[in-house]
Amino acid sequence: MNPNEIITFKQAEEYLYNVPKFTTKSTPEMTRAFYEFLGCPGEKRKIVHVAGTNGKGSVCTYLSSILTAHGHKTAMFTSPHLISMCERFRIDGELMSEEEFMRYFYLVQTKVDEVRSCVGKVQVSACDNKVSEYIEVLPPDYHPTFFEYLFFMAMLWFEDKGVDYIVLETGLGGRLDATNIIKQPELCIITKIGLDHTMYLGNTLEEIAGEKAGIIKRNVPLVYYGFDKKVTSVIEKTADLQGVKAYPVTLSNIKNVKIHQKDIDFCMFYEYDNYVRPVWEEFRLPTVATYQTINATLAVKASKLLLRQQWKLDLVREVLATTFWEGRMEEVLPDFYVDGAHNEDGVEAFLDGLATAGVKEATLLFGVNGDKDYQPMIQHIAESGHFTRIVVTKLAGERSALPEVIAEQFAKHTDVEIVLTNSVKDAVEKCRDLTSGGTIYAVGSLYLVGEIKGLVREELL
């Protein structure tokens, strides 16, 4: 598709989805070079850089909401999206419109055409009035990758809107991620790290932690998930080398977790009273996902470092009580919950929440992409004892694992009823037909969550 012939939002989405077919991953030098060609939009704003395996989107959402509530115009760039690409771009919680999406889609494409015509010519960087390096590192046929394209669109939009803060989530990894071209963020956050994307990031937690820790910058404060010693040793070593003040969130920061029908109360370690006694404060989250207590605590600790004397406890308490992140233990239909757990650690957190809530005899809807290491997820779910029925399905697209293959894996670890379906719509309808007066949970993939939410939004269920 010729980008100059694109006139609709759907065409732009289709073009971007097809970008991986004709371009390869850029080096950080290439990404930085094109960013300089754009004029380094957003780089002078206060940027919070967030990496990790699980919880990034939730932490970004909690933190953005807190900053907005304190009167700061706050932008957020996250991935992936569930239904529309516009979900990746938000300012003060409001999504980018399709009209704005098209404007910045065209702008990036225009700049791609311009830079191709400039390769080989001496240019001065718009960022610092120095000679830009892009003349040396960008190929004549340069084109941003799928993620880079969206990242550039986001930063241009945020700059034009004059935001105060930009909460920036990495796409994959950290060290080599496109977002890591930002030289001096205000704060870095690393959420829970697990075994995911091992073909790109490494086969051990330590290797993956090393990639995620690549966002740590000299003298930039760091807030991090500090539960796993293997991971924290890597993060803390990197922080020490960079001269960084690091602030961990551990189990000792959270206590008295109480799950109600639709929300959670918990106590968060707040600060020390005259540097002697720990002070605890109670918060409420509008979710039944216990893992969100950790993500909320990471965001609160980060907000205190950013806002300092401006930080208000009562305002933060109000924000947490009304903020939720889509697709994370979200009730989309009566007694029908979707959760974005799509790797082993995510599934373990999901199951821990069910155990804490005392869930038994529920129905599970499961779908997953075939390129995922889904066997450990299936084993944990099958052996958890929470489900009396499992409905497996095929996701839209070529990447989906086949329902019969999924069912075969479940049958290795459980004797409960396993039902096969060939579409997400059929799976949801089958779950609802078979489950009377019980609860349904859908997990395995964010794509599954997106399909279900899309069907609900279009009133097809």
Side-chain angles (χ1 to χ4, degrees):
M1 180 184 296
N2 186 335
N4 296 318
E5 298 176 353
I6 292 172
I7 59 175
T8 69
F9 174 73
K10 289 299 182 184
Q11 287 176 327
E13 279 194 317
E14 183 182 354
Y15 176 83
L16 291 170
Y17 280 131
N18 282 290
V19 165
K21 295 180 180 179
F22 60 82
T23 191
T24 57
K25 183 171 176 60
S26 305
T27 65
E29 292 76 18
M30 292 168 62
T31 307
R32 178 70 197 187
F34 187 71
Y35 183 61
E36 289 190 5
F37 185 77
L38 294 177
C40 301
E43 191 163 56
K44 300 301 182 183
R45 310 292 171 176
K46 294 179 179 178
I47 295 176
V48 181
H49 201 190
V50 184
T53 303
N54 294 306
K56 299 190 299 295
S58 297
V59 171
C60 288
T61 302
Y62 288 132
L63 178 58
S64 296
S65 299
I66 292 170
L67 294 173
T68 295
H70 281 80
H72 297 283
K73 192 171 186 178
T74 305
M76 184 173 75
F77 176 65
T78 58
S79 63
H81 60 273
L82 298 177
I83 301 173
S84 166
M85 283 189 188
C86 290
E87 297 169 23
R88 296 172 180 247
F89 318 84
R90 302 173 194 243
I91 295 178
D92 291 340
E94 295 295 320
L95 274 63
M96 173 188 272
S97 69
E98 291 185 3
E99 291 75 20
E100 288 173 312
F101 185 97
M102 293 303 296
R103 176 186 173 188
Y104 289 96
F105 171 85
Y106 291 136
L107 179 54
V108 172
Q109 188 58 51
T110 298
K111 291 298 183 180
V112 170
D113 292 338
E114 287 181 13
V115 80
R116 286 176 172 178
S117 68
C118 291
V119 170
K121 300 178 183 178
V122 175
Q123 296 286 330
V124 175
S125 169
C127 305
D128 51 20
N129 292 324
K130 296 179 181 178
V131 176
S132 174
E133 297 178 354
Y134 79 84
I135 57 175
E136 300 177 0
V137 301
L138 290 179
D141 60 347
Y142 170 75
H143 192 287
T145 63
F146 170 82
F147 183 78
E148 286 176 315
Y149 205 115
L150 296 172
F151 168 57
F152 295 142
M153 287 172 58
M155 298 304 280
L156 287 164
W157 186 48
F158 298 158
E159 179 66 34
D160 287 350
K161 291 295 185 179
V163 303
D164 302 313
Y165 282 94
I166 299 174
V167 181
L168 198 59
E169 179 187 343
T170 59
L172 180 64
R175 181 176 64 92
L176 298 177
D177 191 77
T179 60
N180 205 32
I181 61 168
I182 299 300
K183 293 182 176 179
Q184 196 68 19
E186 193 80 4
L187 178 75
C188 292
I189 303 174
I190 298 178
T191 66
K192 185 177 182 180
I193 291 175
L195 291 172
D196 200 7
H197 302 296
T198 53
M199 67 183 72
Y200 304 108
L201 304 179
N203 294 313
T204 67
L205 286 174
E206 293 89 341
E207 289 175 334
I208 295 174
E211 290 296 314
K212 306 287 186 180
I215 70 166
I216 297 173
K217 304 293 190 301
R218 179 161 293 280
N219 298 324
V220 176
L222 170 71
V223 175
Y224 67 99
Y225 179 100
F227 286 61
D228 191 312
K229 290 183 179 179
K230 292 181 180 179
V231 169
T232 55
S233 63
V234 175
I235 293 173
E236 290 167 358
K237 182 178 179 180
T238 305
D240 288 342
L241 290 172
Q242 294 290 350
V244 166
K245 179 64 175 176
Y247 302 86
V249 167
T250 68
L251 277 174
S252 62
N253 292 101
I254 300 167
K255 68 178 183 180
N256 297 343
V257 178
K258 299 176 183 177
I259 301 179
H260 307 291
Q261 188 174 4
K262 302 292 183 182
D263 53 31
I264 295 174
D265 289 328
F266 73 106
C267 288
M268 182 191 302
F269 168 66
Y270 173 64
E271 61 184 11
Y272 283 101
D273 181 10
N274 297 321
Y275 301 98
V276 177
R277 295 177 302 175
V279 176
W280 293 83
E281 293 290 344
E282 186 171 300
F283 295 87
R284 173 167 292 183
L285 300 176
T287 179
V288 293
T290 54
Y291 57 78
Q292 293 292 39
T293 60
I294 301 168
N295 295 325
T297 303
L298 284 164
V300 170
K301 187 175 284 285
S303 71
K304 287 205 68 178
L305 292 171
L306 292 167
L307 296 170
R308 300 180 183 274
Q309 296 303 315
Q310 187 190 5
W311 192 90
K312 298 177 181 178
L313 172 61
D314 289 343
L315 193 54
V316 172
R317 185 182 281 117
E318 291 175 11
V319 168
L320 293 188
T322 57
T323 301
F324 76 97
W325 185 225
E326 287 186 295
R328 278 66 180 179
M329 203 62 90
E330 178 185 0
E331 188 177 23
V332 294
L333 294 167
D335 295 319
F336 192 118
Y337 293 85
V338 296
D339 190 89
H342 58 281
N343 53 44
E344 186 176 2
D345 282 344
V347 164
E348 286 183 352
F350 161 72
L351 295 173
D352 286 344
L354 298 189
T356 302
V359 173
K360 296 179 180 179
E361 298 185 353
T363 295
L364 178 80
L365 195 168
F366 187 87
V368 67
N369 278 329
D371 55 3
K372 280 284 185 180
D373 183 17
Y374 54 80
Q375 287 86 357
M377 290 193 284
I378 287 174
Q379 182 172 352
H380 287 305
I381 291 170
E383 296 177 352
S384 68
H386 295 299
F387 307 104
T388 56
R389 180 183 300 105
I390 297 170
V391 177
V392 299
T393 193
K394 183 179 184 298
L395 307 179
E398 299 176 354
R399 294 173 56 198
S400 178
L402 296 176
E404 52 267 30
V405 176
I406 299 173
E408 182 180 344
Q409 292 297 319
F410 270 111
K412 292 179 180 180
H413 305 286
T414 182
D415 294 326
V416 303
E417 178 185 11
I418 301 173
V419 180
L420 278 68
T421 62
N422 288 313
S423 75
V424 172
K425 185 175 186 296
D426 288 346
V428 173
E429 292 174 346
K430 180 65 70 173
C431 285
R432 300 179 78 188
D433 288 342
L434 296 174
T435 307
S436 177
T439 307
I440 304 165
Y441 297 92
V443 299
S445 172
L446 283 168
Y447 295 99
L448 174 64
V449 172
E451 282 198 64
I452 294 172
K453 286 179 64 67
L455 291 167
V456 172
R457 180 177 297 182
E458 296 170 17
E459 298 183 348
L460 296 176
L461 295 173

